Amino acid sequence: MLESLITSKTRLRLLVKFFVNSKTQSHLRGLAEEFGESTNAIRKELNNLTQAGFLEKHIDKNKIEYQANEKHPFFSNIQEIIRKYLGLDKLLEQILERMGDVQQVVLVGDIAEGRDSGKIDVLVSGKSLNSEYINHLTTRVEGLIDRKVVFTLLAERINSSGLVLFDKESGI
């Protein structure tokens, strides 16, 4: 659906890259390699997004790093749209609905790094989690968001560099 609004596939991939996890930073050559596209196509879209204020540039020696501009007035709106596009809102809703006493939900792997590979790795921590519900949930969520979902259940709090979608203790 978002593809009809944002017709440039490269621009959409860049928005996913930088707005799923606002801490993500990348440079031109790394993006060209990751996306399998020419540096010219990536450069054009990076320039457009930077001129519009959606991305910030940081120069480090001879390398220009790009990152989402969290101060942009539309930052939270764009981030919410991208997360809905990926189905992360539905994923979180389904987990919290009947999984039990969920303490944390953290995304790891490709999606946490802003790569939409079609697979979402999710760590769920909490006490007395409904592990029987997980098989039903996996099938249900995959149908809702049209992506492969892999759940890992843990009893202890998660200390991961992933993207935290929910943390009961810190109120996220």
Side-chain angles (χ1 to χ4, degrees):
M1 181 193 304
L2 196 54
E3 294 90 351
S4 61
L5 182 63
I6 301 172
T7 55
S8 167
K9 289 180 183 180
T10 304
R11 184 175 300 163
L12 182 57
R13 291 174 80 183
L14 287 170
L15 289 172
V16 168
K17 175 76 175 176
F18 293 112
F19 283 87
V20 165
N21 186 349
S22 62
K23 303 298 181 224
T24 298
Q25 292 185 347
S26 198
H27 60 280
L28 176 64
R29 292 210 189 286
L31 290 166
E33 188 177 307
E34 180 181 325
F35 294 172
E37 294 188 32
S38 72
T39 55
N40 287 338
I42 303 289
R43 182 182 293 113
K44 177 184 171 196
E45 293 301 340
L46 286 171
N47 288 339
N48 289 338
L49 291 169
T50 303
Q51 286 173 355
F54 296 122
L55 297 180
E56 295 178 323
K57 280 201 252 191
H58 306 285
I59 300 173
D60 183 28
K61 296 179 185 167
N62 291 339
K63 198 184 282 187
I64 299 173
E65 295 278 333
Y66 294 87
Q67 182 175 9
N69 179 4
E70 294 182 13
K71 295 178 186 122
H72 192 281
F74 293 140
F75 169 78
S76 58
N77 301 92
I78 294 169
Q79 189 174 50
E80 185 179 336
I81 289 169
I82 294 300
R83 288 182 175 190
K84 283 184 183 222
Y85 165 71
L86 295 172
L88 301 183
D89 59 328
K90 292 178 183 170
L91 173 71
L92 184 60
E93 181 183 299
Q94 295 296 314
I95 292 170
L96 296 177
E97 185 178 289
R98 290 183 23 206
M99 279 298 293
D101 186 19
V102 175
Q103 295 299 308
Q104 288 177 293
V105 178
V106 179
L107 300 181
V108 294
D110 287 349
I111 201 74
E113 296 170 6
R115 288 191 303 270
D116 184 11
S117 63
K119 178 183 170 198
I120 300 176
D121 292 299
V122 185
L123 302 178
V124 181
S125 75
K127 295 181 169 93
S128 304
L129 294 176
N130 186 350
S131 58
E132 294 173 11
Y133 176 61
I134 201 75
N135 291 332
H136 172 70
L137 179 63
T138 302
T139 306
R140 188 167 160 192
V141 168
E142 287 178 352
L144 283 171
I145 66 174
D146 196 31
R147 286 174 174 72
K148 174 112 178 90
V149 181
V150 177
F151 288 101
T152 304
L153 304 182
L154 304 167
E156 302 296 321
R157 283 189 59 77
I158 301 164
N159 292 321
S160 170
S161 61
L163 175 63
V164 178
L165 288 184
F166 175 79
D167 191 330
K168 192 173 189 178
E169 192 173 283
S170 61
I172 297 175

